[in-house]
């Protein structure tokens, strides 16, 4: 009863907490042995922690709750063998991304990323997964409070959470927590300074309209000639009809009808010198485990800021 009540209070953001500055990396390291036992021997647990991670201010016990609930959820989603990946990194969210994602304000965040190669979440229920008591498990399999507890903790600490998922591909939860003692976010400059620019032709293929517009605007401001399309078949048709070739394909990995790797292969038949930069909301482990990409590729993880994207593009074109 006490555990049940604690879950409800956490979701309602009324769970008593003792927030202190914490290093997420250190808490994850302390929990690794417990998490490995929790997920079982058939599931590989990979942990990638960014050095010099910023501190966040929250109750360490709440971090334990997040890790445990997400690990149990991922374990249950993996039918037999698979991979769970935990990653951390520092992230600056610019105004452009904030405008795209209404949950996020501009600022400095610590990103905790938790991915699995499980069965994925059907699109018809993905908007319900944080609802308390919602569960797809059998009556004896769970209360439906695991993800709602995670959601409550994140919101209680001023953060936000997103989820990427495709059936039979896997799921990635991205938790954004405000940096402790965060400086005031700077107003974005009209002109972008100190980032690599270019004049090459870039084809962007991304099925999420808002991300497509953000990338298009970014690259146009850097001087590139940009063709932005929301479907692989449209991209193939456009390249067939255009004069000359594109210099770079910037493509999402997983899209309706055709994945990014297959799209790049077919476009390369028309433009042999074309370079490719892949982007995805999934972790690298999930992408490589599912066989979508070769190891020797250029890859950028969503969300990315302008400088990161600009440097990856130049590195791919010049590499």
């Amino acid at each position: 009863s006490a555990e049940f009540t604690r879950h409800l209070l956490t979701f309602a953001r009324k769970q008593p907490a003792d927030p202190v500055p914490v290093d997420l990396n250190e808490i994850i390291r302390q929990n690794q042995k417990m998490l490995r036992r929790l997920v079982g021997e058939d599931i590989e647990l990979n942990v990638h922690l960014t050095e010099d991670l910023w501190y966040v201010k929250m109750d360490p016990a709440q971090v334990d709750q997040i890790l445990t609930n997400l690990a149990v959820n991922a374990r249950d989603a993996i039918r037999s063998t698979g991979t769970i990946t935990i990653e951390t990194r520092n992230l600056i969210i610019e105004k452009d991304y904030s405008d795209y994602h209404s949950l996020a304000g501009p600022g400095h965040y610590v990103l905790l990323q938790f991915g699995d190669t499980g069965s994925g979440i059907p699109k018809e229920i993905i908007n319900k997964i944080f609802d308390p008591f919602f569960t797809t498990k059998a009556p004896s399999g769970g209360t439906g409070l695991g993800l709602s507890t995670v959601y409550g903790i994140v919101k209680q600490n001023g953060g936000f959470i997103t989820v990427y998922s495709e059936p039979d591909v896997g799921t990635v939860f991205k938790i954004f927590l405000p940096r402790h003692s965060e400086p005031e976010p700077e107003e974005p400059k009209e002109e972008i300074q100190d980032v690599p620019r270019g004049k090459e032709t870039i084809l962007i293929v991304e099925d999420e309209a808002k991300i497509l517009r953000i990338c298009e605007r970014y690259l146009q401001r850097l001087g590139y000639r940009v063709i932005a399309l929301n479907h692989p078949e449209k991209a193939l048709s456009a390249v067939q009809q255009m004069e000359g070739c594109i210099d770079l394909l910037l493509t999402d990995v997983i899209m309706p009808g055709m994945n990014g790797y297959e799209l790049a292969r077919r476009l390369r038949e028309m433009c042999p010198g074309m370079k490719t930069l892949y982007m995805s909301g999934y972790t690298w482990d999930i992408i490589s485990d599912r066989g979508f990409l070769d190891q020797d590729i250029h890859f950028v993880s969503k969300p990315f800021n302008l400088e990161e994207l600009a440097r990856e593009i130049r590195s791919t074109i010049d590499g």
Side-chain angles (χ1 to χ4, degrees):
S1 297
E3 178 74 5
F4 185 78
T5 302
R6 182 175 60 80
H7 278 298
L8 289 175
L9 288 172
T10 300
F11 183 78
R13 307 183 210 172
K14 298 183 183 297
Q15 169 70 12
D18 183 19
V20 295
V22 296
D23 179 356
L24 289 185
N25 284 352
E26 185 59 31
I27 296 179
I28 292 170
R29 291 189 187 102
Q30 293 171 1
N31 278 275
Q32 267 189 258
K33 288 185 178 179
M34 180 273 292
L35 293 174
R36 290 188 189 279
R37 290 195 299 269
L38 185 64
V39 301
E41 296 179 355
D42 294 333
I43 298 175
E44 182 180 356
L45 179 64
N46 295 328
V47 177
H48 307 296
L49 306 178
T50 295
E51 295 183 7
D52 300 321
L53 192 71
W54 295 330
Y55 277 70
V56 299
K57 189 172 184 180
M58 63 186 300
D59 191 329
Q62 291 184 321
V63 182
D64 296 339
Q65 281 184 278
I66 289 174
L67 294 172
T68 301
N69 283 327
L70 290 180
V72 170
N73 195 68
R75 178 199 66 192
D76 294 344
I78 297 174
R79 296 189 179 96
S80 54
T81 59
T83 303
I84 293 175
T85 305
I86 303 173
E87 299 180 25
T88 60
R89 64 183 171 111
N90 299 324
L91 184 69
I92 299 175
I93 291 185
E94 299 164 328
K95 187 176 184 301
D96 283 322
Y97 183 81
S98 177
D99 289 344
Y100 150 65
H101 204 303
S102 59
L103 297 176
H108 296 64
Y109 292 85
V110 173
L111 173 63
L112 170 61
Q113 194 163 270
F114 204 106
D116 68 70
T117 58
S119 56
I121 304 171
K123 293 188 183 298
E124 60 268 20
I125 67 169
I126 200 165
N127 291 329
K128 302 178 182 178
I129 61 173
F130 296 120
D131 293 351
F133 306 113
F134 177 79
T135 180
T136 58
K137 300 174 185 176
S140 60
T143 61
L145 287 173
L147 291 180
S148 65
T149 297
V150 172
Y151 179 87
I153 291 173
V154 172
K155 298 301 288 184
Q156 185 181 32
N157 287 279
F160 66 99
I161 182 170
T162 63
V163 57
Y164 295 83
S165 190
E166 293 283 345
D168 300 320
V169 176
T171 301
V172 176
F173 291 95
K174 297 188 180 226
I175 295 172
F176 301 76
L177 296 168
R179 177 186 183 182
H180 179 55
S181 301
E182 173 188 338
E184 287 297 317
E186 297 181 1
E187 286 296 318
K189 300 175 182 178
E190 287 299 317
E191 287 296 323
I192 307 163
Q193 305 294 337
D194 302 325
V195 294
R197 297 168 178 264
K199 296 182 179 180
E200 290 87 352
T201 299
I202 297 179
L203 170 63
I204 309 172
V205 186
E206 164 63 63
D207 60 315
E208 192 165 348
K210 292 180 179 179
I211 294 181
L212 183 66
R213 288 197 298 271
I214 290 172
C215 291
E216 181 181 20
R217 184 164 64 245
Y218 272 177
L219 300 186
Q220 286 175 339
R221 290 165 66 190
L222 290 174
Y224 294 103
R225 179 188 174 214
V226 180
I227 304 168
L229 298 168
N230 63 359
H231 196 281
E233 292 293 346
K234 292 181 180 179
L236 290 171
S237 177
V239 173
Q240 284 175 339
Q241 297 174 28
M242 69 182 289
E243 295 183 5
C245 279
I246 58 174
D247 298 293
L248 175 77
L249 169 66
L250 175 62
T251 180
D252 196 7
V253 176
I254 300 173
M255 296 177 289
M258 185 186 307
N259 65 55
Y261 187 69
E262 175 64 16
L263 173 63
R265 186 190 66 79
R266 294 179 62 178
L267 286 175
R268 206 170 289 117
E269 294 174 356
M270 295 179 267
C271 298
M274 181 194 77
K275 304 292 182 68
T276 305
L277 174 59
Y278 297 97
M279 56 182 172
S280 180
Y282 288 101
T283 64
W284 170 252
D285 296 67
I286 292 177
I287 295 298
S288 58
D289 186 76
R290 292 301 190 192
F292 285 107
L293 298 177
D294 294 332
Q295 292 295 322
D296 188 20
I297 58 98
H298 291 273
F299 179 84
V300 61
S301 178
K302 301 175 189 173
F304 41 74
N305 59 37
L306 174 58
E307 181 178 348
E308 181 182 4
L309 179 61
R311 296 192 185 283
E312 286 291 341
I313 284 174
R314 263 311 355 139
S315 174
T316 304
I317 292 176
D318 299 335

